[in-house]
Amino acid sequence: MKFIFTSEAVTEGHPDKIADRVADSILDAILKEDKFARVACEVVTSTGLLFIFGQITTSAHVDYKDIARNTVKEIGYTEGNYGFDAESINILTAIDKQSPDIAIGVDSAEGKSLGAGDQGIMFGFATKETDIYMPLGEVLAQKLALRLTEVRKKGIIPYLRPDGKTQVSLEYENGKPKRIDTVLVSAQHNEEVNIEDLRKDIKNEVILEVIPKELLDNNTKFLINPTGRFVVGGPAADTGLTGRKNIVDTYGGYAKNGGGSFSGKDPTKVDRSASYMLRYVAKNIVASGLADKCEIQISYAIGVSKPVSIAVDTFNTSLLTDEELVDIIQENFDLTPEGIIDKLDLRRPVYKDVSCYGHFGRDDLDLSWERLDMVDKLAKYNKKNC
């Protein structure tokens, strides 16, 4: 059976990703001074405007506006004709403290020191499709987006501007990736650029530098700036908001998504911390040989430390039943918020680095939720070894 599945990514200059990066930069700055801070920071970007709002309870003293300007500058919005630049943007703030009704539920969870910061469902996923246990299409889409930023910042393609999007359509045969059907790249650029020069440069310096040659053939389609012109971009072209790129942040749509966003949230928010933990659990299950593919769902009630439910789907790739894997997970992993935070050491400033180019499968970063330190322990359950 053949089918085509498409995944996408965006650069750090995309308006939604500017918002995510600013929110996580603020979170990191707070955690450096106050690791027990409660942070739910949201950011909106628009033409000439950046708005920081939300609920933050902390003893830390940080300059939100200064952090935002420096982050926007690092991304590359430094020119007045972009319609959004670090020096001239108007930055507004509206920060309140965490609701006491939420705080009491988190603090007094059934005698535990920490309860779930909200109700909700979260998912984790891993697959043997790549050596980093991520879906291949999303890996390639993220690498294309990262390469777009790299060639811009290094001056390899000096006329590029910060905004950009990528898309990879991967053809599967019998459940395995066989070839790339379509590569789509939309890159913001200076006004004077010839579109044919841009298309040649993007193909040679971005696409062919990232996509493995064995996945390309004579029928692969390359769509580069298909409308021809992409001068106006970033917040000047589209409003940006934190948490609007959940699929890009996770598995590119190849696995289910819980719906709760990540950026700007401290680890008591299980939308973030439990999603990280389930990625860790699923990755170690697949790496240990218990399954070729594993998706885990968990649910929480606000103020309750233990999960309400756990479900596993291995898509018929395991010798164990999904029910047996649930028992193994419960036996080997502490899925209370406190247990997750302690295991993954989440009360530290590690979030800005994952705010763009994906939270999972990041082999360029040393992330606790990407470690494979449970493989040997889980391998003892493998029926193939019996």
Side-chain angles (χ1 to χ4, degrees), residues 66-332:
D66 189 54
I67 292 169
R69 288 194 195 280
N70 287 336
T71 303
V72 171
K73 185 177 180 180
E74 289 171 5
I75 290 170
Y77 283 98
T78 57
E79 302 289 336
N81 61 353
Y82 289 178
F84 185 87
D85 74 278
E87 295 302 321
S88 66
I89 53 172
N90 185 22
I91 300 178
L92 305 176
T93 62
I95 304 296
D96 205 349
K97 291 185 177 181
Q98 183 182 61
S99 161
D101 294 341
I102 295 176
I104 194 171
V106 175
D107 292 334
S108 62
E110 307 169 310
K112 298 280 186 179
S113 58
L114 195 67
D118 201 354
Q119 73 174 57
I121 59 172
M122 302 87 208
F123 287 89
F125 180 75
T127 173
K128 277 189 171 180
E129 200 167 285
T130 62
D131 59 4
I132 55 173
Y133 301 96
M134 286 286 289
L136 178 59
E138 183 63 8
V139 170
L140 294 177
Q142 293 287 8
K143 287 187 175 181
L144 286 170
L146 187 58
R147 179 63 178 169
L148 262 185
T149 296
E150 182 181 37
V151 298
R152 171 176 61 87
K153 289 186 171 181
K154 289 183 176 180
I156 297 170
I157 306 181
Y159 54 77
L160 292 183
R161 291 181 177 179
D163 198 358
K165 300 183 75 170
T166 66
Q167 196 167 282
V168 175
S169 298
L170 191 61
E171 183 179 294
Y172 283 77
E173 186 175 338
N174 298 321
K176 295 183 178 181
K178 290 297 182 182
R179 58 178 292 273
I180 300 291
D181 181 79
T182 306
V183 179
L184 169 59
V185 176
S186 294
Q188 188 189 13
H189 56 84
N190 291 345
E191 196 156 355
E192 66 276 7
V193 173
N194 178 282
I195 187 61
E196 294 308 319
D197 290 339
L198 179 143
R199 286 171 174 161
K200 181 181 68 175
D201 289 344
I202 293 294
K203 184 174 181 180
N204 291 334
E205 298 294 344
V206 178
I207 296 174
L208 297 183
E209 288 291 322
V210 169
I211 303 295
K213 292 180 181 179
E214 61 270 20
L215 291 175
L216 302 174
D217 58 31
N218 293 333
N219 294 317
T220 300
K221 297 178 284 293
F222 299 97
L223 302 177
I224 301 169
N225 283 34
T227 62
R229 180 181 169 89
F230 187 8
V231 174
V232 180
D238 190 14
T239 299
L241 176 65
T242 39
R244 212 158 53 172
K245 285 290 176 284
N246 289 13
I247 298 300
V248 168
D249 285 341
T250 55
Y251 308 102
Y254 195 84
K256 296 185 186 74
N257 190 289
S261 61
F262 299 158
S263 289
K265 295 180 180 179
D266 75 80
T268 66
K269 312 296 190 296
V270 284
D271 281 335
R272 179 169 224 161
S273 55
S275 296
Y276 289 179
M277 186 64 171
L278 294 185
R279 162 64 180 171
Y280 171 71
V281 175
K283 185 176 181 180
N284 276 270
I285 284 174
V286 172
S288 69
L290 294 183
D292 291 343
K293 188 186 296 187
C294 181
E295 183 181 82
I296 308 170
Q297 187 213 49
I298 200 168
S299 67
Y300 290 92
I302 187 168
V304 180
S305 60
K306 292 183 178 180
V308 173
S309 66
I310 306 172
V312 173
D313 187 354
T314 56
F315 309 91
N316 298 314
T317 67
S318 176
L319 294 178
L320 298 167
T321 67
D322 293 340
E323 291 79 9
E324 287 174 320
L325 282 169
V326 170
D327 291 339
I328 290 169
I329 290 169
Q330 291 177 316
E331 182 179 338
N332 290 277

